Short mmCIF file of all heavy atoms in Angstrom, two decimals:
data_model
loop_
_atom_site.label_atom_id
_atom_site.label_comp_id
_atom_site.label_asym_id
_atom_site.label_seq_id
_atom_site.Cartn_x
_atom_site.Cartn_y
_atom_site.Cartn_z
N PRO A 882 5.10 29.25 -7.84
CA PRO A 882 5.81 30.39 -8.38
C PRO A 882 4.95 31.29 -9.25
O PRO A 882 5.21 32.46 -9.42
CB PRO A 882 6.92 29.74 -9.27
CG PRO A 882 7.11 28.38 -8.67
CD PRO A 882 5.78 27.99 -8.16
N SER A 883 3.83 30.80 -9.73
CA SER A 883 2.92 31.60 -10.56
C SER A 883 2.21 32.65 -9.73
O SER A 883 1.60 33.59 -10.28
CB SER A 883 1.90 30.73 -11.23
OG SER A 883 1.08 30.07 -10.27
N LYS A 884 2.30 32.61 -8.40
CA LYS A 884 1.62 33.57 -7.52
C LYS A 884 2.51 34.69 -7.05
O LYS A 884 2.15 35.43 -6.13
CB LYS A 884 1.03 32.81 -6.28
CG LYS A 884 -0.01 31.83 -6.66
CD LYS A 884 -1.28 32.46 -7.15
CE LYS A 884 -2.35 31.47 -7.42
NZ LYS A 884 -3.57 32.05 -7.90
N VAL A 885 3.69 34.88 -7.66
CA VAL A 885 4.61 35.93 -7.23
C VAL A 885 3.93 37.29 -7.34
O VAL A 885 4.06 38.15 -6.47
CB VAL A 885 5.94 35.87 -8.02
CG1 VAL A 885 6.78 37.10 -7.73
CG2 VAL A 885 6.70 34.66 -7.72
N GLY A 886 3.20 37.50 -8.43
CA GLY A 886 2.56 38.83 -8.63
C GLY A 886 1.54 39.11 -7.57
O GLY A 886 1.42 40.23 -7.07
N GLU A 887 0.76 38.07 -7.22
CA GLU A 887 -0.24 38.27 -6.17
C GLU A 887 0.40 38.55 -4.80
O GLU A 887 -0.05 39.43 -4.07
CB GLU A 887 -1.10 36.99 -6.04
CG GLU A 887 -2.28 37.11 -5.12
CD GLU A 887 -3.16 35.87 -5.06
OE1 GLU A 887 -3.11 35.08 -6.02
OE2 GLU A 887 -3.89 35.75 -4.09
N VAL A 888 1.46 37.85 -4.49
CA VAL A 888 2.19 38.10 -3.22
C VAL A 888 2.78 39.48 -3.22
O VAL A 888 2.69 40.20 -2.22
CB VAL A 888 3.32 37.02 -3.05
CG1 VAL A 888 4.22 37.42 -1.88
CG2 VAL A 888 2.74 35.64 -2.86
N GLU A 889 3.31 39.95 -4.36
CA GLU A 889 3.84 41.30 -4.48
C GLU A 889 2.74 42.33 -4.21
O GLU A 889 2.96 43.31 -3.51
CB GLU A 889 4.41 41.48 -5.88
CG GLU A 889 5.22 42.76 -6.07
CD GLU A 889 5.90 42.81 -7.39
OE1 GLU A 889 6.21 41.73 -7.97
OE2 GLU A 889 6.10 43.95 -7.88
N GLN A 890 1.53 42.12 -4.78
CA GLN A 890 0.45 43.06 -4.58
C GLN A 890 0.02 43.10 -3.10
O GLN A 890 -0.28 44.19 -2.55
CB GLN A 890 -0.75 42.71 -5.48
CG GLN A 890 -0.49 42.90 -6.93
CD GLN A 890 -0.19 44.32 -7.28
OE1 GLN A 890 -0.75 45.23 -6.73
NE2 GLN A 890 0.77 44.52 -8.21
N LEU A 891 0.00 41.97 -2.47
CA LEU A 891 -0.39 41.89 -1.04
C LEU A 891 0.67 42.58 -0.20
O LEU A 891 0.34 43.30 0.79
CB LEU A 891 -0.57 40.47 -0.59
CG LEU A 891 -1.82 39.76 -1.15
CD1 LEU A 891 -1.79 38.26 -0.87
CD2 LEU A 891 -3.08 40.39 -0.64
N LEU A 892 1.95 42.43 -0.49
CA LEU A 892 3.01 43.11 0.24
C LEU A 892 2.90 44.62 0.06
O LEU A 892 3.10 45.39 0.99
CB LEU A 892 4.38 42.62 -0.18
CG LEU A 892 4.74 41.14 0.24
CD1 LEU A 892 6.04 40.74 -0.39
CD2 LEU A 892 4.79 41.05 1.77
N LEU A 893 2.57 45.04 -1.17
CA LEU A 893 2.37 46.44 -1.45
C LEU A 893 1.25 47.00 -0.63
O LEU A 893 1.32 48.09 -0.05
CB LEU A 893 2.14 46.66 -2.99
CG LEU A 893 2.07 48.10 -3.46
CD1 LEU A 893 3.34 48.82 -3.18
CD2 LEU A 893 1.74 48.11 -4.93
N ALA A 894 0.17 46.24 -0.52
CA ALA A 894 -0.99 46.68 0.25
C ALA A 894 -0.58 46.78 1.73
O ALA A 894 -1.03 47.74 2.44
CB ALA A 894 -2.14 45.68 0.09
N LEU A 895 0.20 45.88 2.23
CA LEU A 895 0.68 45.97 3.62
C LEU A 895 1.51 47.20 3.83
O LEU A 895 1.37 47.89 4.88
CB LEU A 895 1.46 44.72 4.02
CG LEU A 895 0.68 43.45 4.30
CD1 LEU A 895 1.63 42.29 4.54
CD2 LEU A 895 -0.19 43.63 5.59
N ALA A 896 2.39 47.48 2.90
CA ALA A 896 3.27 48.66 3.02
C ALA A 896 2.44 49.94 2.96
O ALA A 896 2.72 50.87 3.76
CB ALA A 896 4.30 48.66 1.90
N GLU A 897 1.42 50.02 2.06
CA GLU A 897 0.55 51.18 2.05
C GLU A 897 -0.23 51.36 3.32
O GLU A 897 -0.41 52.45 3.82
CB GLU A 897 -0.40 51.08 0.85
CG GLU A 897 0.26 51.27 -0.49
CD GLU A 897 -0.66 51.02 -1.64
OE1 GLU A 897 -1.87 50.75 -1.41
OE2 GLU A 897 -0.19 51.08 -2.80
N HIS A 898 -0.72 50.22 3.87
CA HIS A 898 -1.46 50.29 5.14
C HIS A 898 -0.56 50.79 6.27
O HIS A 898 -0.98 51.66 7.06
CB HIS A 898 -2.01 48.91 5.48
CG HIS A 898 -2.76 48.89 6.75
ND1 HIS A 898 -4.05 49.37 6.84
CD2 HIS A 898 -2.45 48.42 7.97
CE1 HIS A 898 -4.45 49.21 8.07
NE2 HIS A 898 -3.55 48.62 8.79
N GLU A 899 0.68 50.34 6.26
CA GLU A 899 1.62 50.83 7.30
C GLU A 899 1.90 52.29 7.15
O GLU A 899 1.97 53.08 8.10
CB GLU A 899 2.93 50.02 7.23
CG GLU A 899 3.92 50.39 8.30
CD GLU A 899 5.22 49.67 8.19
OE1 GLU A 899 5.61 49.33 7.07
OE2 GLU A 899 5.86 49.38 9.24
N GLY A 900 2.07 52.76 5.89
CA GLY A 900 2.31 54.17 5.63
C GLY A 900 1.12 55.06 6.06
O GLY A 900 1.31 56.13 6.63
N MET A 901 -0.07 54.59 5.85
CA MET A 901 -1.29 55.33 6.24
C MET A 901 -1.36 55.35 7.76
O MET A 901 -1.84 56.35 8.30
CB MET A 901 -2.54 54.74 5.62
CG MET A 901 -2.63 54.95 4.15
SD MET A 901 -4.08 54.35 3.28
CE MET A 901 -5.00 53.39 4.40
N GLN A 902 -0.97 54.29 8.46
CA GLN A 902 -0.99 54.30 9.90
C GLN A 902 -0.01 55.28 10.46
O GLN A 902 -0.31 55.95 11.45
CB GLN A 902 -0.63 52.90 10.47
CG GLN A 902 -1.80 52.00 10.57
CD GLN A 902 -1.43 50.69 11.25
OE1 GLN A 902 -0.31 50.27 11.23
NE2 GLN A 902 -2.45 50.07 11.88
N ARG A 903 1.14 55.45 9.86
CA ARG A 903 2.16 56.39 10.35
C ARG A 903 1.64 57.82 10.19
O ARG A 903 1.87 58.66 11.05
CB ARG A 903 3.45 56.24 9.56
CG ARG A 903 4.23 55.02 9.93
CD ARG A 903 5.53 54.94 9.12
NE ARG A 903 6.18 53.68 9.32
CZ ARG A 903 7.21 53.25 8.61
NH1 ARG A 903 7.64 53.96 7.59
NH2 ARG A 903 7.74 52.09 8.88
N GLN A 904 1.00 58.13 9.05
CA GLN A 904 0.46 59.43 8.81
C GLN A 904 -0.73 59.77 9.68
O GLN A 904 -0.91 60.88 10.10
CB GLN A 904 0.09 59.58 7.34
CG GLN A 904 1.23 59.57 6.40
CD GLN A 904 0.75 59.59 4.95
OE1 GLN A 904 -0.42 59.53 4.63
NE2 GLN A 904 1.71 59.66 4.01
N GLY A 905 -1.56 58.76 9.95
CA GLY A 905 -2.82 59.01 10.61
C GLY A 905 -2.81 58.70 12.11
O GLY A 905 -3.89 58.50 12.67
N ARG A 906 -1.69 58.70 12.75
CA ARG A 906 -1.71 58.42 14.19
C ARG A 906 -2.45 59.52 14.90
O ARG A 906 -2.17 60.70 14.77
CB ARG A 906 -0.28 58.30 14.77
CG ARG A 906 0.34 56.99 14.33
CD ARG A 906 1.55 56.66 15.12
NE ARG A 906 2.11 55.40 14.68
CZ ARG A 906 3.38 55.16 14.51
NH1 ARG A 906 4.25 56.04 14.83
NH2 ARG A 906 3.79 54.01 14.12
#
Side-chain angles (χ1 to χ4, degrees):
S883 63
K884 297 290 184 181
V885 172
E887 185 177 342
V888 171
E889 190 175 331
Q890 292 299 321
L891 291 169
L892 291 174
L893 185 60
L895 283 174
E897 288 175 4
H898 180 75
E899 182 183 33
M901 289 182 352
Q902 274 188 332
R903 287 181 186 167
Q904 292 174 355
R906 286 196 180 140

